[in-house]
């Protein structure tokens, strides 16, 4: 199996890469952000870039109390 870091590949090509931490902060701050909402937020953020969303968004989901 060959591992390809598509985010690093996009950054090296000079493309925009977002580091999104809303869901991670939501998990750690005990906000009203449910797991389902966090998944939808990740999907919506990725849709900004269409089919290439996975190449442009690092979505740090995080774990509470880490």
């Amino acid at each position: 199996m060959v591992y390809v870091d598509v985010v690093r590949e996009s950054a090296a090509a000079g493309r925009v890469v977002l580091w999104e931490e809303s869901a991670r902060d939501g998990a750690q701050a005990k906000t009203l952000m449910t797991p389902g909402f966090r998944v939808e937020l990740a999907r919506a953020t990725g849709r900004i870039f269409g089919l290439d969303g996975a190449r442009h968004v690092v979505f740090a989901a995080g774990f509470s109390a880490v």
Side-chain angles (χ1 to χ4, degrees), residues 2-4 6 13 15 17 21-22 28-29 34-36 38 42 46 48 58:
V2 175
Y3 174 75
V4 177
V6 295
R15 297 184 192 111
V17 175
E21 292 195 5
S22 298
Q28 292 181 352
T34 65
R38 289 170 35 185
I48 293 169
V58 177

Side-chain angles (χ1 to χ4, degrees), residues 40-60:
E40 182 52 35
L41 180 60
R43 289 179 177 153
T45 304
R47 280 193 297 268
I48 293 169
F49 297 99
L51 295 176
D52 285 332
R55 294 183 173 273
H56 297 280
V57 180
V58 177
F59 197 81

